[in-house]
Amino acid sequence: MRVTPTQLLSGMVLIVLVARPAVTVTGACFQHDENFTVLAEDEMLAADVLASANRFRQRVANEWLGVELPPSVGETIIHVTLSDEEDRGLTWAIDSPNRSMHKIWLTTSRDRANGSTLQHEIAHIVLATRYPQRLPAWADEGIAGTYDEQDRINLRRQIIHWYADTGNWPSLESVFQMPTIINTDKKAYSVAASVTEFLLTRGDRPTFVEFAAAGQQAGWDRALQDFYRLESVAALQQAWQAWASGIETSNSELGHIRVEQGNRETDPSPECSIPGVPGRPQQDTRASHGH
Ligand SMILES: [Zn+2]
């Protein structure tokens, strides 16, 4: 997930109004290197997440940009709250000169904090570091979603299968124009993931990233012509629907629904000392919520 300031503000209200399962934070410990600062409830977790974050940062950059990010660009603070009941992640990328670090909040299990939930958010961070103006929301989520667990992927396929089965296809033009995709909009996530998957059958991952950046700048018809030899969004719509109708039939048995993500920030507790965290944004104590 990625979030805008407006969503953060609305989320602050939601956090107050919506009761959530209790998440106990017994402490906050600190691990740090040139790329990440990790706050977690024990030293081992913080160290593990730090190592996982660096591994994912390298992997995502190599896979989608074709080259690693230099050390320390896109420096990020990661807050981890352990929960066996929730699985939520949120990224707030640098969006003003007053902020020097990206932020990630995770409320999830120990495994997912070192696995799919972390990697989804790291994908947003890598892309936001390379493209500070941000990629279009659908492409950003399409890329990050490739690292999700299979049950989320199955849910999306179930939705696409319904479109194929009923013929009630959504307009790609409207999805491409969405400034953000809110966390409850499963159909938009599904379309983003499916169109991403389709275009990856026609070109490699760095090509997709370049297409997404170009489409935002020059328009989608032009970008489709330049990168995929498709005439227009209308042509993409037709080709995608045909492709999705074919492959989704075989996945009809898949899918079960689960609630997706929001966000909650955790404040460091005094149980572990936290040395001065360089460049921590002032918003650090805000609770927030969003996609
Ligand atoms: Zn996301």
Side-chain angles (χ1 to χ4, degrees):
M1 297 184 175
R2 47 180 244 185
V3 69
T4 64
T6 302
Q7 290 175 309
L8 284 171
L9 289 172
S10 64
M12 292 172 68
V13 176
L14 284 175
I15 288 295
V16 172
L17 296 178
V18 178
R20 294 184 177 279
V23 177
T24 302
V25 180
T26 57
C29 299
F30 167 85
Q31 290 284 325
H32 175 256
D33 67 9
E34 69 270 30
N35 298 322
F36 297 99
T37 297
V38 180
L39 299 172
E41 63 188 63
D42 63 65
E43 291 287 348
M44 182 177 293
L45 178 61
D48 287 348
V49 171
L50 180 67
S52 298
N54 276 293
R55 190 169 66 251
F56 293 154
R57 179 182 186 270
Q58 183 179 42
R59 176 185 172 185
V60 170
N62 276 325
E63 288 183 347
W64 293 92
L65 305 179
V67 62
E68 287 185 33
L69 293 174
S72 85
V73 301
E75 207 174 347
T76 303
I77 298 176
I78 304 175
H79 295 254
V80 185
T81 301
L82 287 180
S83 173
D84 292 329
E85 300 169 344
E86 298 184 68
D87 178 25
R88 296 183 284 122
L90 179 77
T91 291
W92 186 7
I94 295 169
D95 56 2
S96 83
N98 298 325
R99 297 184 56 218
S100 59
M101 301 175 81
H102 303 303
K103 295 193 72 172
I104 291 175
W105 295 268
L106 303 174
T107 302
T108 189
S109 67
R110 194 175 287 264
D111 283 349
R112 287 175 176 137
N114 286 285
S116 60
T117 305
L118 174 63
Q119 190 155 356
H120 179 116
E121 305 306 327
I122 293 294
H124 287 316
I125 292 298
V126 169
L127 296 171
T129 300
R130 172 60 183 84
Y131 296 97
Q133 75 280 16
R134 307 305 303 274
L135 292 181
W138 74 269
D140 206 355
E141 293 299 346
I143 292 168
T146 64
Y147 298 108
D148 286 346
E149 286 188 333
Q150 194 61 44
D151 60 347
R152 287 182 193 269
I153 293 170
N154 291 346
L155 168 61
R156 295 183 198 129
R157 287 179 172 168
Q158 185 182 40
I159 292 172
I160 297 299
H161 174 69
W162 183 86
Y163 287 136
D165 203 34
T166 62
N168 297 330
W169 294 98
S171 159
L172 293 187
E173 190 81 56
S174 62
V175 173
F176 283 12
Q177 302 306 325
M178 295 174 79
T180 188
I181 301 176
I182 62 172
N183 62 323
T184 54
D185 193 351
K186 309 303 181 209
K187 58 185 183 303
Y189 273 106
S190 302
V191 172
S194 183
V195 173
T196 300
E197 188 179 352
F198 170 62
L199 290 175
L200 289 175
T201 67
R202 293 183 163 227
D204 62 15
R205 290 168 174 174
T207 298
F208 177 80
V209 172
E210 290 176 27
F211 157 74
Q216 189 158 253
Q217 295 292 322
W220 294 111
D221 287 354
R222 174 65 186 274
L224 284 165
Q225 293 161 18
D226 289 348
F227 288 88
Y228 294 110
R229 297 184 179 180
L230 286 163
E231 193 60 33
S232 63
V233 175
L236 172 63
Q237 177 100 36
Q238 196 171 24
W240 167 64
Q241 288 180 195
W243 173 83
S245 297
I247 68 154
E248 295 302 337
T249 302
S250 62
N251 291 319
S252 59
E253 76 284 5
L254 297 174
H256 66 271
I257 294 175
R258 89 183 206 185
V259 176
E260 215 192 340
Q261 307 172 2
N263 161 67
R264 169 172 169 168
E265 179 177 350
T266 59
D267 292 326
S269 95
E271 291 192 25
C272 297
S273 64
I274 301 174
V277 180
R280 291 187 72 192
Q282 291 183 333
Q283 294 87 347
D284 224 23
T285 56
R286 289 167 60 184
S288 56
H289 171 70
H291 144 75

